[in-house]
Amino acid sequence: MDLPIADRSVLERKAEIVARLRAAMADGAVIDDPAETRAYECDALAAYRCAPLAVVLPGSTAEVAAVLKVCHEERVPVVPRGAGTSLAGGALPTADSVILGVARMNRVLDVDYDNRFIRVEAGRTNLSVTGAVEEEGFFYAPDPSSQLACAIAGNIAMNSGGAHCLKYGVTTNNLMGVTLVTMEGTVVEIGGAHLDAGGYDLLGVICGSEGQLGVVTEAVLRILPKPEGARPVLIAFGSNEVAGACVADIIKAGVLPVAIEFMDRPCIHACEAFAHAGYPDCEALLIVEVEGAEAEIDEQLGLIRQIAARHDPVEFRESRSAEEAQKIWLGRKSAFGAVGQINDYMCLDGTIPVSALPKVLKRIGEMSRDFGLDVANVFHAGDGNMHPLILYDANKPGDLETCEALGAEILKLCVEVGGCLTGEHGVGIEKRDLMEVQYSAADMEAQMRVKDVFDPCWLLNPAKVFPLHMSAGRRAR
């Protein structure tokens, strides 16, 4: 996964560029010491690293605008960064780039319970948005596994989802407006505290654009009343394929749980050892959660039990208390960290039609054996958003390359069965060179023309999303 060759003219002007940035910022907001910039040389795709030219940590929209104006005038690439939890290399810098981190911008600016929205600065963490409104009986629905750490800025950049996206949707379904700063330093308001904005759907263009069109500094988010009650169940199966078929049948029956999560044996064992959630010993496990009034929960779970029974489950277990439900979700939310304690891994992100789950799970098992690397599967089964974890040894020569090759084949399979390369992690550098598998040259030309409008000089996150050979002419402007 190559990065563009650094612009030597930028590297040679480092002292001058840093001086201009310091003049535009508060004390301590600019970092250029190589020892300190090392903390920003990668995101959660830690297999790839590159120290940036400098790091800037603004504290306001005005400071973001000042930074971007300087970088635009100096023709310095800018890589926006939220909390650095991207699993696709979305915040990986180049040697001639400035990292613009919004972590200091984490205030709640406004809450309106009558109209059900909250306005926050984009550096605020996902989970703390719910924390700001839960005493009033509200919550923010998108819940990525990294929600304790990930920032709203990154959620918007990658259109993040989470376990409960089956019912409530992903970030784009819960985003009402943004304050965006363009590369030239112009502040723009898009959308706002209302149901829908007139004119073109620019908000839909911004959400999922991976920091390539502008830097989001504030967001208006939809908040929802907490449901009356919720109850998860564990359904254990003897094979991945049977569990996948059960998921397809639940969706086909018209039942809408709030979440359907899948874990296979390697992931179950890792999560159990980490969280002691009381998971059954089985080949595949579904966590299915329904919510509503008690009578509604009982009715939905009764239907799910009937559907599951047709697939001969090893066990069907309902949580019996709030504490038990919390432990069930702690295990699932801890999956990536739990697996990371026992092995190096690369976490993929591809989306497939739910009906294709049995076929895809079977093929992943066959590919795993062919490539000689184990794969632990954990994903949002209800909407087909898969997260295979390919286990490899980072200290073994050739293992990373084999892991990448296996990952590419799995993602190609997702496209082959009618899915797509990413559901919520984004393209970044990880899937950049696979874009031609899903999109034609004309498709990508149309997408790049959108970036031309927002960022004519191609300075915002320019090495991401589009294959380098396709964007080379634009990046050289």
Side-chain angles (χ1 to χ4, degrees), residues 185-475:
T186 302
V187 179
V188 182
E189 296 287 342
I190 299 174
H194 39 73
L195 183 62
D196 199 7
Y200 293 116
D201 182 18
L202 294 180
L203 191 62
V205 175
I206 297 301
C207 189
S209 61
E210 305 197 23
Q212 293 212 316
L213 307 182
V215 177
V216 173
T217 60
E218 298 177 11
V220 181
L221 308 172
R222 179 176 289 109
I223 54 175
L224 300 171
K226 285 184 179 179
E228 187 173 334
R231 192 186 312 161
V233 297
L234 301 177
I235 313 175
F237 294 94
S239 77
N240 290 354
E241 293 83 359
V242 174
C246 182
V247 172
D249 283 353
I250 290 173
I251 300 300
K252 191 187 304 180
V255 183
L256 185 60
V258 69
I260 305 178
E261 295 294 293
F262 176 102
M263 291 190 287
D264 66 4
R265 179 177 284 278
C267 192
I268 294 166
H269 284 185
C271 291
E272 180 62 24
F274 182 85
H276 308 291
Y279 289 154
D281 184 18
C282 57
E283 290 300 321
L285 179 67
L286 298 180
I287 300 173
V288 184
E289 182 170 272
V290 299
E291 63 181 23
E294 281 300 311
E296 185 180 5
I297 289 174
D298 289 339
E299 180 181 1
Q300 291 184 77
L301 289 183
L303 290 171
I304 291 169
R305 184 185 287 273
Q306 291 176 24
I307 295 167
R310 299 201 294 266
H311 296 274
D312 193 23
V314 174
E315 185 177 345
F316 188 103
R317 185 197 307 171
E318 291 187 32
S319 61
R320 294 160 295 194
S321 66
E323 291 75 19
E324 189 170 305
Q326 187 177 18
K327 287 180 69 175
I328 287 172
W329 280 115
L330 175 62
R332 166 60 185 90
K333 291 283 187 178
S334 302
F336 294 169
V339 174
Q341 285 194 328
I342 60 174
N343 221 104
D344 300 310
Y345 71 83
M346 184 172 289
C347 176
L348 300 184
D349 164 52
T351 301
I352 63 172
V354 174
S355 60
L357 273 172
K359 174 184 177 179
V360 170
L361 289 169
K362 181 179 180 181
R363 281 293 295 128
I364 288 176
E366 293 168 350
M367 291 178 181
S368 172
R369 291 187 288 274
D370 291 344
F371 279 83
L373 294 178
D374 291 332
V375 178
N377 287 291
V378 53
F379 54 87
H380 314 311
D383 66 344
N385 189 186
M386 305 190 70
H387 295 311
L389 309 181
I390 304 176
L391 311 184
Y392 73 101
D393 185 347
N395 296 314
K396 182 179 177 182
D399 244 29
L400 175 59
E401 291 73 17
T402 302
C403 175
E404 289 178 342
L406 173 54
E409 291 305 310
I410 292 174
L411 291 171
K412 289 176 184 177
L413 174 63
C414 290
V415 176
E416 177 188 315
V417 300
C420 59
L421 292 172
T422 179
E424 60 176 339
H425 290 181
V427 177
I429 65 160
E430 180 207 15
K431 308 179 189 75
R432 182 189 62 200
D433 297 328
L434 292 171
M435 285 285 279
E436 291 172 286
V437 174
Q438 181 171 345
Y439 296 106
S440 69
D443 290 333
M444 281 188 279
E445 174 63 22
Q447 294 178 46
M448 289 189 288
R449 285 183 180 181
V450 174
K451 180 167 174 59
D452 289 341
V453 172
F454 283 84
D455 180 22
C457 295
W458 275 62
L459 293 171
L460 279 168
N461 226 6
K464 315 295 167 55
V465 180
F466 304 105
L468 294 181
H469 71 90
M470 298 191 76
S471 66
R474 286 171 158 93
R475 288 184 287 104

Side-chain angles (χ1 to χ4, degrees), residues 118-122 152 156 175 177-179 216-221:
I118 181 172
R119 187 179 188 100
V120 300
E121 290 183 316
I152 292 298
I156 294 171
L175 179 66
V178 298
T179 299
V216 173
T217 60
E218 298 177 11
V220 181
L221 308 172

Side-chain angles (χ1 to χ4, degrees), residues 19-285:
R20 287 199 64 187
L21 290 171
R22 284 208 166 97
M25 300 290 292
D27 290 343
V30 178
I31 303 169
D32 68 315
D33 185 323
E36 295 183 25
T37 59
R38 192 174 295 275
Y40 298 87
E41 67 182 3
C42 69
D43 53 23
L45 187 67
Y48 306 96
R49 298 161 187 252
C50 179
L53 184 81
V55 177
V56 182
L57 303 173
S60 67
T61 296
E63 287 192 340
V64 171
V67 169
L68 290 176
K69 186 175 181 180
V70 169
C71 290
H72 183 260
E73 291 173 355
E74 296 286 351
R75 293 297 188 264
V76 178
V78 174
V79 177
R81 180 183 175 103
T85 60
S86 169
L87 289 160
L92 178 69
T94 52
D96 57 356
S97 70
V98 167
I99 288 278
L100 195 162
V102 297
R104 289 181 175 176
M105 301 174 61
N106 55 19
R107 296 177 300 159
V108 172
L109 302 173
D110 187 20
V111 183
D112 187 329
Y113 295 109
D114 292 334
N115 293 299
R116 299 182 181 180
F117 74 82
I118 181 172
R119 187 179 188 100
V120 300
E121 290 183 316
R124 192 168 183 89
T125 60
N126 175 287
L127 189 58
S128 70
V129 175
T130 290
V133 298
E134 61 185 349
E135 287 190 5
E136 298 296 326
F138 285 81
F139 74 107
Y140 178 58
D143 59 337
S145 294
S146 58
Q147 67 179 150
L148 182 65
C150 65
I152 292 298
N155 290 179
I156 294 171
M158 303 304 181
N159 191 21
S160 301
H164 291 85
C165 65
L166 175 60
K167 181 173 181 178
Y168 294 113
V170 293
T171 298
T172 192
N173 305 112
N174 296 275
L175 179 66
M176 301 172 68
V178 298
T179 299
L180 179 85
V181 186
T182 68
M183 188 62 218
E184 293 88 348
T186 302
V187 179
V188 182
E189 296 287 342
I190 299 174
H194 39 73
L195 183 62
D196 199 7
Y200 293 116
D201 182 18
L202 294 180
L203 191 62
V205 175
I206 297 301
C207 189
S209 61
E210 305 197 23
Q212 293 212 316
L213 307 182
V215 177
V216 173
T217 60
E218 298 177 11
V220 181
L221 308 172
R222 179 176 289 109
I223 54 175
L224 300 171
K226 285 184 179 179
E228 187 173 334
R231 192 186 312 161
V233 297
L234 301 177
I235 313 175
F237 294 94
S239 77
N240 290 354
E241 293 83 359
V242 174
C246 182
V247 172
D249 283 353
I250 290 173
I251 300 300
K252 191 187 304 180
V255 183
L256 185 60
V258 69
I260 305 178
E261 295 294 293
F262 176 102
M263 291 190 287
D264 66 4
R265 179 177 284 278
C267 192
I268 294 166
H269 284 185
C271 291
E272 180 62 24
F274 182 85
H276 308 291
Y279 289 154
D281 184 18
C282 57
E283 290 300 321
L285 179 67

